[in-house]
Amino acid sequence: MTAPDPAALLAVARDEALLGRTEGGVPIGAALFTADGTLLGRGHNRRVQDDDPTMHAETAAFRAAGRRPHYQDTIMVTTLSPCWYCSGLVRQFGIPALVVGEARTFSGGHAWLAEHGVAVTVLDDPECVRLMRAFVAEHPGLWHEDIGVPD
Amino acid sequence: MTAPDPAALLAVARDEALLGRTEGGVPIGAALFTADGTLLGRGHNRRVQDDDPTMHAETAAFRAAGRRPHYQDTIMVTTLSPCWYCSGLVRQFGIPALVVGEARTFSGGHAWLAEHGVAVTVLDDPECVRLMRAFVAEHPGLWHEDIGVPD
């Protein structure tokens, strides 16, 4: 089994983020893969689209993957450092590997996950950074709402 | 403003847990209130009912409360110590108070939340304990799936 290229996995999450932007939503995307790179589920933040504050990108990808007996053979990929909510999901369900597009515009719990044994790869992808920088500049209120920070 | 009675708040979450049991689901319930005891949203675990692994009780209650600009004036109430996923939700969204029915059958992140400034009340409610003990004994596989523990 060859380990998949993290950049190739990130491309799927980034496509989800771009789809979220097109829909007028928070442009964060994620995908859950098996360790050999098979896609299990993909999704993007749906706060605006579904009026649902629980649908962060990682949660949406996890939901799309459906019920599984365990996650020991999976990789979570997200365009942005996961917030505490999504970091908690990764820890609780024992997802052993995390690929992060960027952690410049927001730094959540990826270092905490690494401390707890998750193999974390931060790619510092310029396109992910540009996407979030533009979104935060254009929609600061929506961004703050999405991470629970009072305006 | 009088602070609400934690036991009265827990009764709402417990009713949700009982409803979940009646539906054949994981019997964990939760509710989000304002600091003065006004109900914002209530829900229960919907893994079985909706085939949705993201719908833990606290997440369901948070979703039911809808989009809010912030959570600085809220209390999360749950029948069981919140797992890392739901603890992460409480931390990320700055929910300042947490009422827990019991932490005997499962201990998640409530102590971690207390360390991070959340006012945590553990009620050690015998009915919540009985409900979870019976569920875990009858459906160990479903319980393990719900917390990401391989059978």
Side-chain angles (χ1 to χ4, degrees):
Chain A
M1 186 178 86
T2 310
D5 174 19
L9 304 185
L10 180 63
V12 176
R14 207 173 44 214
D15 282 350
E16 284 290 328
L18 290 166
L19 188 55
R21 184 179 67 179
T22 303
E23 293 169 355
V26 179
I28 305 173
L32 189 71
F33 294 91
T34 59
D36 65 359
T38 303
L39 181 67
L40 296 171
R42 55 193 289 171
H44 52 272
N45 187 300
R46 303 196 59 82
R47 171 177 294 273
V48 171
Q49 296 91 323
D50 295 350
D51 252 342
D52 184 348
T54 71
M55 277 300 116
H56 275 197
E58 298 88 334
T59 309
F62 185 82
R63 180 168 69 170
R67 287 174 60 179
R68 297 179 69 78
H70 68 78
Y71 297 85
Q72 289 184 318
D73 60 341
T74 64
I75 307 171
M76 178 65 85
V77 183
T78 173
T79 55
L80 184 66
S81 173
C83 79
W84 287 114
Y85 171 50
C86 298
S87 296
L89 182 146
V90 169
R91 181 168 177 188
Q92 184 60 47
F93 291 100
I95 296 171
L98 174 71
V99 173
V100 174
E102 65 106 351
R104 283 178 190 272
T105 60
F106 175 79
S107 187
H110 69 275
W112 177 74
L113 288 171
E115 282 166 26
H116 288 283
V118 177
V120 176
T121 305
V122 180
L123 292 175
D124 201 22
D125 178 74
E127 199 173 329
C128 290
V129 174
R130 272 196 299 272
L131 194 58
M132 274 309 289
R133 283 227 170 110
F135 169 70
V136 172
E138 285 163 26
H139 305 282
L142 179 55
W143 171 234
H144 290 149
E145 181 192 321
D146 197 55
I147 52 171
V149 173
D151 249 345
Chain B
M1 186 179 85
T2 310
D5 174 18
L9 303 186
L10 179 63
V12 176
R14 209 173 44 215
D15 282 350
E16 285 290 329
L18 291 166
L19 188 54
R21 185 180 65 177
T22 303
E23 294 169 354
V26 179
I28 305 172
L32 189 71
F33 295 92
T34 59
D36 66 359
T38 303
L39 181 67
L40 296 172
R42 56 192 289 171
H44 53 272
N45 187 300
R46 303 195 61 81
R47 171 177 293 274
V48 171
Q49 297 90 324
D50 295 350
D51 252 341
D52 185 348
T54 71
M55 277 300 116
H56 275 196
E58 298 89 333
T59 308
F62 185 82
R63 180 168 69 169
R67 286 174 60 180
R68 299 178 68 78
H70 68 78
Y71 297 84
Q72 289 184 318
D73 61 340
T74 63
I75 307 172
M76 177 65 84
V77 183
T78 174
T79 55
L80 184 66
S81 173
C83 79
W84 287 114
Y85 172 49
C86 298
S87 295
L89 182 146
V90 169
R91 181 167 177 190
Q92 184 60 47
F93 292 100
I95 296 171
L98 173 71
V99 174
V100 174
E102 64 107 350
R104 285 179 189 271
T105 61
F106 175 79
S107 186
H110 69 275
W112 176 74
L113 288 171
E115 282 166 26
H116 288 283
V118 176
V120 176
T121 306
V122 180
L123 292 175
D124 202 21
D125 178 74
E127 200 173 329
C128 289
V129 174
R130 271 196 300 273
L131 193 57
M132 274 308 289
R133 284 226 170 110
F135 169 70
V136 172
E138 286 165 27
H139 305 282
L142 180 55
W143 171 233
H144 289 148
E145 181 193 322
D146 198 54
I147 52 172
V149 173
D151 249 345

